[in-house]
């Protein structure tokens, strides 16, 4: 008999690791972290800890109990695989660990992952569980919109003054988009729900509960459920005692009053976050439901431009912090002063603090994620370590973002930007080339109505024209003739208050950009002990994309 452990409290008991502090993807996936690991599989043969391949750099330097075996899924590399052999996905990793053993599945497992596991593994749910009670109340959509638009005049004024400092020739149109009202989110949501013939949608992730029910994301640790019925002007919210139950063991939600309020017709569920314990306890296994995580993410991505002021403040705070940190690091490397990756992170935080104070930003920030690593230590995403930075590091990539919160705990906006300090001619030359292609080809292609594939193909095509030069640098395999044949990752994405996106600038993404969407174009290039990244943010406008991080 084997056991799958998703519960973060159990993971900490088993490993000593904090899911949200010690791993990358729980930081990034605000609405779907349970789908992307980490998780534990305990079997008769031993205990396995799995994470996405992106977590490899985060595992570096961690001390785990000696009997735990580490494994990865979802391969991550550009041109040359590492020594590990990752599994193609989480289900394959789970199946490899437990084999023919019966698998007991944690009630915290999200519905989407549970359904996938059941197709290949002999599973069952724990026989013992506790019932999770809850209190139901109603929230008007007008109240939600008022809550999510507080501070709008102050933030717009600050962002407007920051736009004046930019190099772009699109300052006028940026300020026009800053004047979007911020009201009407439910009309847009209704459009998506009607398009998919849904009577309503149930959300459980703190991010989507905030965006639909007006409950601050920062203080929500799970157990709050929100139902929005298409075309209605109120949201039904359930506060449960799930969090306490999770600390004790397995729990199943039991709120009869909420079940009685479910509308007739098809209901969308947030299957990438909603747990099996919530799904079964709400009686949704006897109703017609469809996955709606992607639908809600589409809605947030289209709506993002209404929060442009917060994205501008977050983006410029992040980029000013990164640039100041890398400038100071480069100076110390040149002059032979000792400096390590943790020092670089400290420079970054200090500069963000100065930025927030200098511009009177009435918000607090949290670092959303920080991939900060020397190229000779790791070519893949990694958190900073106590690792000395020297010219032998080859490169120092800093890809990071922050989350901005108001005093009530509402998430107002996020950022995602990157820069690299280069310590040899080859890295410096490639970095300059990638930056030039981003600014002159990639971002200009991200026009309204363009597809993600359009942006990807024109960007890779621009690199193709420079392949001979890149080969002379030794930073691409000699056999490559077309970058798009081997470059399996995207060259950017849009945002909807989180970094993961439906619409990515990827080879086969046929989704279309819309005015008001917030985009991030990025080149991430790891090869031969170099890790090079450059990324800027922009808003899609009717006058073309407008960069707001330069």
């Amino acid at each position: 008999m084997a056991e799958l452990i998703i519960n973060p409290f159990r993971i900490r008991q088993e490993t000593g690791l904090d899911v949200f502090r010690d791993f990358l993807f729980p930081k990034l996936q605000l609405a779907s972290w349970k789908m992307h690991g980490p998780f534990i599989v305990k079997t008769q043969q031993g205990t396995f800890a799995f994470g996405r391949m992106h977590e490899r750099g985060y595992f570096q330097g961690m001390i785990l109990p000696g009997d735990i075996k580490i494994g990865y899924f979802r391969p991550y590399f550009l041109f040359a695989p590492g020594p590990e052999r990752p599994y193609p996905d989480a289900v394959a990793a789970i199946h490899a660990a437990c084999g023919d053993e019966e698998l007991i599945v944690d009630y915290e497992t999200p519905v989407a992952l549970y359904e996938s596991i059941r197709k290949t593994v002999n599973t069952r749910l724990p026989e013992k569980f506790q019932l999770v009670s809850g209190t139901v109340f109603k929230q008007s959509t007008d109240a939600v919109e008022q809550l999510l638009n507080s501070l709008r005049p102050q933030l717009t004024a600050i962002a407007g003054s920051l736009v004046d400092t930019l190099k772009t020739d699109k300052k006028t149109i940026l300020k026009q988009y800053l004047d979007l009202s911020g009201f009407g989110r439910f009309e847009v949501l209704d459009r998506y729900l009607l398009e998919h013939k849904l009577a309503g949608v149930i959300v459980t992730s703190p991010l989507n509960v905030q965006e639909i029910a007006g409950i601050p994301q920062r203080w929500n640790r799970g157990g709050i459920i929100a139902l929005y019925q298409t075309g209605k002007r109120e949201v039904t919210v359930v506060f449960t005692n799930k969090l306490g139950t999770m600390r004790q063991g397995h729990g199943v939600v039991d709120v009869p009053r909420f079940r009685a309020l479910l509308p007739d017709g098809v209901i969308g569920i947030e299957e990438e976050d909603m747990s099996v314990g919530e799904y079964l306890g709400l009686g949704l296994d006897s109703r017609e439901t469809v996955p709606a995580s992607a639908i809600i993410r589409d809605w947030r991505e289209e709506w993002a431009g209404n929060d442009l002021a917060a994205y501008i403040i977050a983006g410029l705070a992040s980029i000013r912090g990164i640039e100041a940190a890398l400038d100071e690091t480069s100076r110390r490397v040149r002059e032979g002063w000792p400096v390590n990756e943790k020092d670089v992170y400290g420079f970054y935080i200090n500069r963000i603090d100065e930025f927030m104070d200098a511009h009177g930003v009435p918000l607090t920030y949290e670092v959303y994620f920080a991939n900060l690593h020397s190229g000779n230590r790791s070519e893949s995403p990694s958190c900073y370590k106590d690792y000395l930075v020297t010219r032998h590091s080859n490169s120092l990539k800093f890809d990071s973002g922050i989350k901005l919160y108001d005093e009530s705990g509402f998430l107002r906006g996020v950022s995602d930007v990157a820069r690299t300090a280069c310590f040899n001619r080859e890295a410096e030359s490639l970095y300059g080339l990638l930056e030039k292609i981003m600014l002159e080809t990639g971002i200009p292609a991200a026009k309204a109505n363009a597809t993600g594939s359009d942006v990807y193909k024109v960007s890779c095509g621009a690199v193709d024209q420079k392949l001979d030069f890149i080969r002379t640098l030794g930073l691409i395999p000699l056999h490559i003739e077309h970058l798009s044949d081997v470059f399996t990752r995207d060259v950017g994405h849009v945002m909807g208050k989180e970094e993961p996106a439906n619409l990515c600038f990827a080879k086969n993404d046929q989704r279309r950009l819309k005015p008001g969407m917030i985009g991030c174009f990025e080149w991430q290039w790891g090869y031969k002990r170099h890790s090079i990244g450059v990324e800027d943010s922009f808003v899609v406008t009717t006058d073309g994309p407008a960069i707001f991080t330069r």
Side-chain angles (χ1 to χ4, degrees):
M1 184 175 66
E3 182 184 12
L4 173 66
I5 300 174
I6 298 285
N7 186 319
F9 302 106
R10 292 281 312 281
I11 289 175
R12 189 160 189 171
Q13 288 175 343
E14 295 285 342
T15 67
L17 300 178
D18 186 296
V19 166
F20 300 101
R21 181 195 65 205
D22 296 320
F23 296 94
L24 173 62
F25 263 76
K27 295 182 176 74
L28 293 178
Q29 305 274 355
L30 298 182
S32 56
W33 67 267
K34 287 180 276 188
M35 285 294 297
H36 302 279
F39 55 82
I40 291 173
V41 180
K42 299 189 73 171
T43 74
Q44 295 177 12
Q45 285 70 44
T47 300
F48 299 84
F50 289 107
R52 284 178 63 134
M53 191 64 192
H54 296 69
E55 304 289 7
R56 179 178 180 272
Y58 279 69
F59 268 118
Q60 288 179 336
M62 291 182 180
I63 300 175
L64 293 174
D67 59 343
I68 293 182
K69 305 175 183 66
I70 299 174
Y72 302 102
F73 59 93
R74 291 289 295 271
Y76 178 93
F77 63 88
L78 296 185
F79 306 119
E84 299 90 352
R85 300 188 65 179
Y87 297 97
D89 53 41
V91 175
I94 293 168
H95 186 249
C98 67
D100 294 330
E101 293 183 46
E102 182 182 46
L103 180 69
I104 299 177
V105 178
D106 194 327
Y107 273 103
E108 278 305 298
T109 305
V111 172
L113 181 58
Y114 176 64
E115 293 298 331
S116 297
I117 295 170
R118 292 176 66 191
K119 295 176 182 177
T120 58
V121 179
N122 179 22
T123 64
R124 70 176 173 86
L125 293 166
E127 296 175 358
K128 294 183 179 180
F129 57 83
Q130 297 183 51
L131 293 179
V132 180
S133 60
T135 303
V136 178
F137 82 98
K138 300 291 184 72
Q139 174 87 294
S140 75
T141 56
D142 287 342
V144 173
E145 297 219 285
Q146 290 292 340
L147 287 167
L148 293 175
N149 279 289
S150 63
L151 293 179
R152 177 169 289 273
Q154 298 98 307
L155 298 182
T156 299
I158 294 169
S161 67
L162 289 171
V163 167
D164 289 333
T165 69
L166 300 178
K167 299 176 182 178
T168 180
D169 60 356
K170 294 185 177 178
K171 295 178 182 178
T172 300
I173 195 162
L174 277 171
K175 290 188 176 182
Q176 289 173 358
Y177 275 76
L178 281 172
D179 287 335
L180 293 174
S181 75
F183 290 84
R185 66 177 48 233
F186 289 97
E187 285 78 2
V188 178
L189 179 57
D190 285 341
R191 169 159 51 83
Y192 277 99
L193 299 182
L194 288 169
E195 178 184 339
H196 290 87
K197 299 180 173 57
L198 298 182
V201 65
I202 299 174
V203 294
T204 53
S205 71
L207 176 57
N208 285 329
V209 167
Q210 172 186 287
E211 296 299 290
I212 287 178
I215 309 297
Q217 183 265 347
R218 191 176 199 177
W219 314 125
N220 182 353
R221 294 295 181 262
I224 301 176
I225 303 166
L227 163 67
Y228 174 72
Q229 298 185 50
T230 309
K232 302 294 185 182
R233 298 276 67 89
E234 65 179 14
V235 182
T236 303
V237 184
V238 181
F239 281 93
T240 75
N241 65 350
K242 174 184 169 183
L243 194 61
T245 304
M246 281 174 60
R247 292 180 184 274
Q248 301 167 29
H250 299 292
V252 173
V253 170
D254 182 31
V255 187
R257 184 185 168 200
F258 182 78
R259 290 199 298 269
L261 295 173
L262 295 177
D264 295 331
V266 182
I267 300 172
I269 63 167
E270 196 181 353
E271 83 290 351
E272 292 182 0
D273 181 85
M274 178 180 283
S275 70
V276 175
E278 289 164 332
Y279 181 79
L280 296 175
L282 296 175
L284 294 171
D285 54 326
S286 63
R287 297 294 306 271
E288 185 177 0
T289 62
V290 297
S293 291
I295 297 171
I296 300 301
R297 194 175 295 119
D298 276 338
W299 166 64
R300 283 193 278 107
E301 290 170 9
E302 180 173 344
W303 188 253
N306 288 276
D307 294 304
L308 177 59
Y311 284 97
I312 288 176
I313 295 168
L316 284 173
S318 296
I319 207 66
R320 297 290 183 261
I322 290 174
E323 290 175 343
L326 294 183
D327 285 348
E328 176 63 16
T329 303
S330 296
R331 183 186 71 80
R332 295 191 181 202
V333 169
R334 286 194 307 271
E335 296 178 4
W337 285 77
V339 60
N340 64 35
E341 292 175 3
K342 285 187 176 180
D343 294 329
V344 183
Y345 185 76
F347 304 152
Y348 172 61
I349 294 299
N350 288 340
R351 184 65 185 90
I352 293 177
D353 288 341
E354 291 173 1
F355 179 96
M356 301 291 279
D357 289 343
H359 297 284
V361 179
L363 303 170
T364 59
Y365 75 91
E366 289 180 6
V367 175
Y368 183 18
F369 65 97
N371 292 331
L372 195 179
H373 53 104
S374 304
N376 67 337
R377 178 171 73 81
S378 177
E379 295 170 8
S380 62
S382 182
C383 63
Y384 57 90
K385 302 291 183 185
D386 187 9
Y387 187 85
L388 197 64
V389 180
T390 71
R391 61 185 180 84
H392 300 294
S393 299
N394 298 322
S395 59
L396 180 67
K397 187 180 79 171
F398 204 155
D399 183 355
S400 184
I402 62 174
K403 298 182 289 186
L404 291 182
Y405 289 100
D406 65 20
E407 63 181 4
S408 298
F410 286 104
L411 178 62
R412 296 301 185 181
V414 298
S415 58
D416 183 10
V417 288
R419 295 287 188 269
T420 304
C422 300
F423 303 121
N424 59 46
R425 180 191 64 81
E426 293 79 11
E428 200 168 81
S429 298
L430 178 59
Y431 182 68
L433 174 62
L434 294 176
E435 184 177 46
K436 180 180 175 67
I437 291 173
M438 175 185 73
L439 295 174
E440 297 182 1
T441 303
I443 292 178
K447 300 177 180 177
N449 209 41
T451 67
S453 178
D454 293 336
V455 179
Y456 172 90
K457 289 177 179 177
V458 73
S459 302
C460 289
V463 171
D464 286 348
Q465 296 177 29
K466 301 294 183 180
L467 283 180
D468 287 341
F469 171 68
I470 301 175
R471 289 190 192 98
T472 68
L473 302 176
L475 291 177
I476 195 170
L478 295 176
H479 70 274
I480 292 175
E481 296 183 1
H482 300 286
L483 184 65
S484 59
D485 291 340
V486 295
F487 200 83
T488 56
R489 61 157 295 136
D490 58 69
V491 296
H493 50 84
V494 298
M495 298 184 80
K497 287 190 179 172
E498 65 172 346
E499 187 270 1
N502 285 345
L503 197 166
C504 294
F505 308 140
K507 190 172 186 177
N508 297 312
D509 196 324
Q510 296 303 312
R511 297 176 181 87
R512 295 189 179 276
L513 290 161
K514 300 175 183 177
M517 283 185 167
I518 305 295
C520 301
F521 186 98
E522 61 180 321
W523 285 115
Q524 302 292 346
W525 199 284
Y527 187 59
K528 288 196 172 179
R529 297 175 69 77
H530 290 75
S531 186
I532 295 172
V534 60
E535 181 173 17
D536 273 288
S537 299
F538 58 91
V539 59
V540 180
T541 79
T542 53
D543 192 40
I547 300 173
F548 56 78
T549 49
R550 286 182 181 258

